[in-house]
Amino acid sequence: MPATSRARVPAACLAMLLVLAGCGDPDGGTVTTDQSPTAAGSAPAGSASDPADGDATGQPPAGRTGGTLSPTEPPLIGTPTAPPSHPTELRKANVLAGRLSRGGSGPCYTLVTDDGREYALHGTGKGTFATGTWVRVTTAPATAEVDCGPGVPVSILKMSPVS
């Protein structure tokens, strides 16, 4: 993790803040040049010659850490040795999503999922969907007396377009 650097305030801004705050002299007057941080050849705070802030390369002085937030490194996640043995994203078994290869106003629709499975959907009053529409369907077991064509037969509980 790279070392973080502190924001440096120019000496002129610090002097101006002292003037505005009335910290120059006890009477609330101005700050003179001998009272300012850059007086008498001293380097401004945060410059390369300030031993408390490190050198010009941004490296911390000897004996100081690089400004990390934690003294220990975070654990690394190893490389997987094999694919997961079960799905990593759990989903409801009765919810399907895919593209309608046969749409219309129902009651029969045909849905093709991303993995290429085809479902013969049956549901009255579920809406009108154009062929090619992406939908999410909550399903129930199919009724035996209805045949909606090729595919795994299921009944529609709810069907809505996916935007």
Side-chain angles (χ1 to χ4, degrees):
M1 183 179 240
T4 58
S5 61
R6 292 181 280 158
R8 309 220 189 271
V9 178
C13 291
L14 183 59
M16 182 59 83
L17 287 174
L18 291 173
V19 169
L20 292 174
C23 296
D25 67 3
D27 300 329
T30 61
V31 175
T32 62
T33 54
D34 60 315
Q35 294 173 323
S36 73
T38 58
S42 65
S47 70
S49 63
D50 187 356
D53 288 329
D55 63 7
T57 63
Q59 298 299 320
R64 268 201 203 165
T65 62
T68 58
L69 298 176
S70 174
T72 61
E73 291 294 321
L76 297 176
I77 298 173
T79 304
T81 57
S85 58
H86 53 77
T88 56
E89 295 179 11
L90 300 177
R91 62 180 181 92
K92 294 181 180 180
N94 69 329
V95 177
L96 301 172
R99 187 182 55 82
L100 291 176
S101 61
R102 182 177 66 183
S105 57
C108 289
Y109 309 88
T110 304
L111 176 82
V112 178
T113 59
D114 285 342
D115 60 3
R117 279 203 178 136
E118 190 174 52
Y119 291 87
L121 308 174
H122 177 265
T124 56
K126 300 303 176 185
T128 301
F129 298 92
T131 298
T133 302
W134 290 88
V135 294
R136 174 177 285 159
V137 184
T138 305
T139 64
T143 53
E145 61 270 0
V146 176
D147 181 16
C148 281
V152 178
V154 292
S155 293
I156 303 169
L157 294 177
K158 178 182 172 187
M159 186 160 74
S160 58
V162 177
S163 52

